[in-house]
Amino acid sequence: MFLTKQAIQAAVSSEDIHIKPFIEDHLSPNSIDVTLNKHLLIYTLEGGCLDMKKENPTEKIIIPEDGFILQPNVLYIGSTNETATSHKYIPMFEGRSSIGRLGINTHITAGFGDVGWGYEKLAMEVKCLYPTWTLEICVVHPVRVYPNVRIGQVYFVEPKGEIEFYKGKYSAQQSPQASKSYLDFK
């Protein structure tokens, strides 16, 4: 079951969902829009390719206020400015249709959030670590983007069954995160 605008508002009030910063005008009938952080990463290819068993080097880019032109055939790793997560519901990320119509893909595979992603269980409470969403951005043709634009939307799904929190390598990310697949080989 997908949460509606009113259900999202109620869950934010009860702290079953954490959205920070919470901008009420960004709510739509069943999701909340999230914005593009000004920091991007691109991989610097050593030896001509990425290696999933290694920590691949990256270069930082800052999107200026007058915009930055994304190029085809380059993977830009970005992030949202917002935390949008839950210890009770499953958060899901999708690009906005206006962004897709410009030929911008906002995520390749990471649109699925796990219930409890970004939380840690303490003795008597659940603490939010306020993670941001990582974006894997690719474009069909050159497109100028700007910091803080609405880039995607997060919606929430009610799980069925026992809830087990996500315990992984991306729980506390608060900036663009390159792949940590190399940790799977250790």
Side-chain angles (χ1 to χ4, degrees):
M1 179 181 326
F2 296 93
L3 272 63
T4 64
K5 175 181 182 176
Q6 294 76 16
I8 293 170
Q9 287 171 309
V12 168
S13 294
S14 68
E15 297 189 352
D16 287 332
I17 290 177
H18 284 91
I19 300 172
K20 182 181 173 184
F22 179 70
I23 301 170
E24 198 157 350
D25 288 347
H26 287 194
L27 281 168
S28 63
N30 58 334
S31 66
I32 187 158
D33 288 349
V34 290
T35 59
L36 179 63
N37 187 282
K38 68 180 180 179
H39 298 279
L40 298 173
L41 296 176
I42 58 170
Y43 288 107
T44 55
L45 300 179
E46 289 184 352
C49 75
L50 298 176
D51 187 335
M52 67 187 318
K53 282 190 170 184
K54 296 180 181 176
E55 185 173 6
N56 293 285
T58 58
E59 177 184 322
K60 294 180 182 180
I61 296 171
I62 296 180
I63 304 171
E65 289 299 319
D66 61 346
F68 178 78
I69 299 174
L70 302 178
Q71 298 294 329
N73 301 316
V74 176
L75 174 63
Y76 298 91
I77 301 175
S79 68
T80 62
N81 289 310
E82 296 82 7
T83 288
T85 191
S86 177
H87 59 87
K88 186 174 179 178
Y89 303 103
I90 302 165
M92 305 287 288
F93 175 90
E94 285 295 335
R96 294 181 66 225
S97 64
S98 296
I99 300 301
R101 292 169 198 209
L102 290 170
I104 302 172
N105 297 307
T106 55
H107 67 89
I108 296 172
T109 62
F112 186 83
D114 287 297
V115 68
W117 163 69
Y119 291 86
E120 63 182 358
K121 283 190 178 183
L122 303 172
M124 299 299 289
E125 66 179 316
V126 174
K127 178 184 174 190
C128 184
L129 302 173
Y130 296 99
T132 56
W133 287 81
T134 294
L135 310 174
E136 305 100 4
I137 303 169
C138 298
V139 297
V140 174
H141 43 75
V143 180
R144 183 179 298 274
V145 297
Y146 301 88
N148 308 313
V149 297
R150 294 185 195 193
I151 192 79
Q153 54 196 8
V154 175
Y155 61 98
F156 298 89
V157 180
E158 188 171 6
K160 183 177 181 177
E162 187 176 333
I163 292 175
E164 184 177 323
F165 278 18
Y166 169 83
K167 295 178 191 122
K169 46 193 172 273
Y170 303 109
S171 282
Q173 63 193 31
Q174 295 184 337
S175 61
Q177 295 292 306
S179 174
K180 294 182 181 181
S181 66
Y182 61 91
L183 296 174
D184 296 337
F185 293 93
K186 296 188 183 221

